[in-house]
Amino acid sequence: MTILSETKNKHGVAVFLAAIFGVFFAYKANAVFSCAVFFEIFFFSVFGFKTKIAWFLSAIIGAQIASVLCIGTYIPELLLSNIGYANDVGIFVILKSAIFFFAGTLFSFVISTNIHIIPPPPISLVNNKTKVVFVLIFISTNCFVVRTPAVSFLHTFGNYFNSSFVKHSLTEKHQQAVLYKKEFVYDETVLIRETPDLRDKNIIVFFVEGFGAFEIDKYNDYKNLTPNISAFMEKSIRFENYFNHTAATFRGLRGQLTSSYQLLGGFNPDRNGIGEINANEIRRKYQNTLVSLPDILNRHGYHTYFATAHSNDNNLNIMLRNLLFTRTFGYEDFSKAKDLSDQELFNAVIELTLSGKLEKPFFLGIYNVGTHLGQDSPDIKYGTADNEYLNTVHNLDDAFGRFLKEYDKSPLANDTVIILTADHTAFPSPLLKETFKLNDETDQFFLNRIPLIVYYKGISPKTFNADGKNSLDFAPTVLSLLRINDATNYFLGCSLFEHLCPRDFHYYESIGKSYFTSENAQIRPLKRKSKAAKRIKKFFALSEN
């Protein structure tokens, strides 16, 4: 009796602690996710799975619970395709995720295997007929209400693996090449009069990591969060209602620099991700297919460079070199042995651009990591705010402001254009939505307005309304500013300075096999069988082979 009593006591304590965590999860998580988690745990308890299977299913639910608590949604496909860059989110987020994962797993296992203490339905009711009814309810819930954690997990992994093994025939590739190949970048007859003529100028582009336009002072309620970017914007040409066309960084940079849709992310199960395959394989993929912005600039006398916070041996830098940048710079080039903070990176950019190391005319792309999801500023803080988003954005602004001061008093100001944009918008985590008062319905996707700001000494400030056009237009817009139009390409976008565009892709977005539209400057999901989605899927034959 004593042993039995001790066992019951242990089970009782375990269930009590698990229930406490369940209450915490219900309080912190969206009600829909909470109900789905509790429903699935109850469903598993009715079936009384064996211990090993129960642990396996509980681990899946634990992983989903950790994801919901950390980023506000179930594990997204993007997380899997960027798993090689887990360190970018910061050690605190990794530890928090691990704690929630183990707590969630124990919660699910303890509750689902000890639910008889609560107590359960009478055993006589849990017969085969009852189980059939539960299965039908479970299937109906996942089909018509909301996906439960385990089903969503399987769906996400299915899409992830499916994207990795997509194969297209040479005929499909040829058809797409014929359809989109052209010998010009923009239509000179429809280029608006206000298009600046910046031919032969140097170009410096800041592709800020995960940066939404709503993080700039003008578009939020904070004071002096981005004073330097705000002042820079007021004396520049800027585009409002301009969206990212994909996510995350590998697709974002590669897609903007080739004006195309990308199916593959950085990392995939069979190691064929764009951040994993070697230089020869990428050159083979691009031969007679996609043409990049640096490739075109190289052919027109430019020297093309890209500087990142990462190592030169990092997959991102390897990808950029295989997009035919003349040279990439990593932290080793600045006598560092670790990823550069935003302050360190911008100091390095000042040193690089003012040292005369770059041959002119040049194009220099810059990618930071300090504003990545989960990072906090190690340097400048936003007052006393204990908010990672406010701190990292304010720190970025400070670093950018110091760069602008050096730029303004250097000879660069006379022949160099500065462009500020982003690789993609910020991930819509619960804290981000709360911080910048984003709408849960319209701002729930990893797509949103991003900045596109162009400055050159003497330029006439002007605001253009992109009205929902997206970053497919980035490469042709840069080339129209430089008046480079003699270039074979497969660009899907048009210059934002063209008042007519024969292609409407720049109103459609793709993240893997999820499709959206930004027409009328509002993001809405598209069905996979829609006309636009079918066109994008066919284009993958060109961009992924």
Side-chain angles (χ1 to χ4, degrees):
M1 290 292 291
T2 304
I3 295 175
L4 182 61
S5 298
E6 288 179 357
T7 301
K8 286 184 175 180
N9 288 337
K10 288 179 180 178
H11 283 182
V13 171
V15 171
F16 176 74
L17 293 176
I20 293 296
F21 181 80
V23 171
F24 168 76
F25 174 70
Y27 172 73
K28 298 293 283 186
N30 181 290
V32 173
F33 289 123
S34 298
C35 291
V37 167
F38 296 142
F39 171 72
E40 190 163 73
I41 289 174
F42 180 74
F43 175 80
F44 290 158
S45 74
V46 169
F47 276 75
F49 292 113
K50 293 180 179 179
T51 301
K52 289 184 178 179
I53 297 177
W55 273 118
F56 174 72
L57 294 173
S58 296
I60 290 177
I61 295 177
Q64 297 287 39
I65 286 174
S67 181
V68 169
L69 290 175
C70 289
I71 62 176
T73 187
Y74 289 144
I75 295 172
E77 187 182 336
L78 275 172
L79 186 149
L80 302 177
S81 61
N82 286 275
I83 197 70
Y85 278 73
N87 288 336
D88 285 356
V89 303
I91 189 65
F92 175 73
V93 171
I94 295 174
L95 289 175
K96 184 170 72 170
S97 300
I99 291 170
F100 285 146
F101 166 68
F102 286 115
T105 299
L106 289 172
F107 159 69
S108 176
F109 180 80
V110 169
I111 294 298
S112 63
T113 57
N114 290 278
I115 202 169
H116 58 278
I117 296 176
I118 295 180
I123 293 297
S124 59
L125 293 180
V126 189
N127 51 32
N128 288 335
K129 289 183 179 179
T130 306
K131 289 183 179 180
V132 169
V133 171
F134 268 100
V135 168
L136 292 176
I137 294 174
F138 186 77
I139 292 173
S140 299
T141 299
N142 280 279
C143 289
F144 303 110
V145 184
V146 64
R147 282 199 178 101
T148 54
V151 173
S152 177
F153 186 85
L154 293 174
H155 177 79
T156 298
F157 264 81
N159 282 345
Y160 175 56
F161 277 85
N162 190 21
S163 297
S164 303
F165 298 104
V166 170
K167 299 295 179 185
H168 300 278
S169 68
L170 290 176
T171 300
E172 291 175 305
K173 178 179 178 180
H174 177 70
Q175 288 174 341
Q176 297 300 301
V178 170
L179 187 59
Y180 296 110
K181 183 178 181 179
K182 50 193 174 300
E183 302 300 329
F184 63 94
V185 179
Y186 54 90
D187 185 348
E188 295 176 342
T189 64
V190 296
L191 209 62
I192 62 172
R193 292 182 180 179
E194 295 91 338
T195 308
D197 185 344
L198 303 176
R199 70 185 76 201
D200 299 325
K201 299 291 188 291
N202 305 310
I203 301 280
I204 299 177
V205 182
F206 292 89
F207 292 97
V208 180
E209 159 59 37
F211 191 54
F214 53 81
E215 297 176 86
I216 300 173
D217 285 344
K218 176 180 172 64
Y219 308 106
N220 59 55
D221 296 332
Y222 296 100
K223 294 182 179 180
N224 294 319
L225 177 63
T226 58
N228 295 299
I229 293 175
S230 297
F232 173 72
M233 187 169 66
E234 292 303 318
K235 61 181 182 181
S236 306
I237 286 178
R238 68 176 186 266
F239 294 89
E240 296 191 334
N241 295 315
Y242 171 75
F243 289 75
N244 59 302
H245 81 280
T246 189
T249 300
F250 277 91
R251 290 192 188 113
L253 292 179
R254 182 174 165 227
Q256 289 189 61
L257 292 168
T258 57
S259 185
S260 68
Y261 297 107
Q262 308 292 317
L263 177 60
L264 291 179
F267 302 86
N268 289 286
D270 61 347
R271 298 193 61 79
N272 73 336
I274 196 64
E276 298 168 307
I277 58 180
N278 62 38
N280 291 332
E281 178 65 10
I282 291 185
R283 288 194 182 97
R284 184 198 66 76
K285 283 169 65 71
Y286 282 179
Q287 186 176 9
N288 299 321
T289 55
L290 298 186
V291 176
S292 69
L293 175 61
D295 186 15
I296 293 173
L297 291 174
N298 291 338
R299 296 169 190 267
H300 285 80
Y302 271 77
H303 303 273
T304 53
Y305 306 97
F306 210 108
T308 78
H310 298 304
S311 166
N312 250 326
D313 295 327
N314 186 284
N315 289 331
L316 181 63
N317 285 48
I318 292 172
M319 180 196 77
L320 291 166
R321 286 197 293 275
N322 287 308
L323 287 176
L324 301 183
F325 278 95
T326 307
R327 181 181 174 183
T328 62
F329 296 92
Y331 59 64
E332 305 93 337
D333 294 295
F334 308 109
S335 302
K336 297 289 182 179
K338 63 178 181 63
D339 283 357
L340 303 174
S341 70
D342 285 359
Q343 294 286 346
E344 291 172 331
L345 177 64
F346 281 65
N347 284 338
V349 170
I350 292 171
E351 174 191 334
L352 190 63
T353 53
L354 300 183
S355 65
K357 294 179 181 177
L358 305 183
E359 295 187 65
K360 295 182 178 181
F362 64 77
F363 175 99
L364 172 64
I366 298 150
Y367 169 74
N368 70 308
V369 76
T371 47
H372 198 287
L373 170 69
Q375 293 281 2
D376 202 345
S377 171
D379 302 302
I380 307 298
K381 307 286 186 181
Y382 182 62
T384 58
D386 184 20
N387 183 302
E388 63 193 50
Y389 288 106
L390 299 180
N391 289 338
T392 55
V393 170
H394 192 56
N395 183 56
L396 166 79
D397 180 82
D398 179 82
F400 183 66
R402 288 189 301 101
F403 167 80
L404 288 178
K405 287 179 182 178
E406 297 298 326
Y407 162 85
D408 283 335
K409 63 185 182 183
S410 76
L412 276 179
N414 297 318
D415 59 6
T416 303
V417 181
I418 307 296
I419 299 177
L420 180 72
T421 187
D423 61 341
H424 53 76
T425 192
F427 185 85
S429 70
L431 179 58
L432 180 87
K433 289 181 178 180
E434 178 186 344
T435 301
F436 293 103
K437 297 180 174 59
L438 301 186
N439 187 297
D440 281 337
E441 293 185 7
T442 58
D443 297 317
Q444 61 179 304
F445 307 110
F446 201 179
L447 299 162
N448 212 317
R449 294 164 179 80
I450 61 173
L452 181 58
I453 308 169
V454 181
Y455 173 75
Y456 175 70
K457 187 176 181 180
I459 202 168
S460 298
K462 189 174 179 64
T463 301
F464 291 94
N465 186 1
D467 198 27
K469 294 176 183 176
N470 62 38
S471 52
L472 283 174
D473 290 343
F474 174 79
T477 297
V478 169
L479 290 172
S480 69
L481 288 170
L482 298 176
R483 295 300 193 270
I484 294 176
N485 202 23
D486 177 18
T488 302
N489 67 88
Y490 301 86
F491 290 171
L492 296 180
C494 294
S495 169
L496 289 167
F497 293 105
E498 290 182 76
H499 63 79
L500 292 174
C501 180
R503 301 173 293 282
D504 58 0
F505 280 108
H506 54 196
Y507 289 115
Y508 297 107
E509 292 75 35
S510 164
I511 301 179
K513 288 190 172 181
S514 297
Y515 308 98
F516 306 83
T517 177
S518 55
E519 283 189 288
N520 301 318
Q522 184 175 346
I523 293 290
R524 299 181 303 279
L526 290 174
K527 294 181 179 179
R528 294 191 178 188
K529 293 184 179 180
S530 66
K531 182 179 178 181
K534 289 180 179 178
R535 291 171 67 196
I536 295 171
K537 282 188 279 190
K538 287 182 179 179
F539 180 82
F540 288 149
L542 183 59
S543 66
E544 301 301 339
N545 281 340

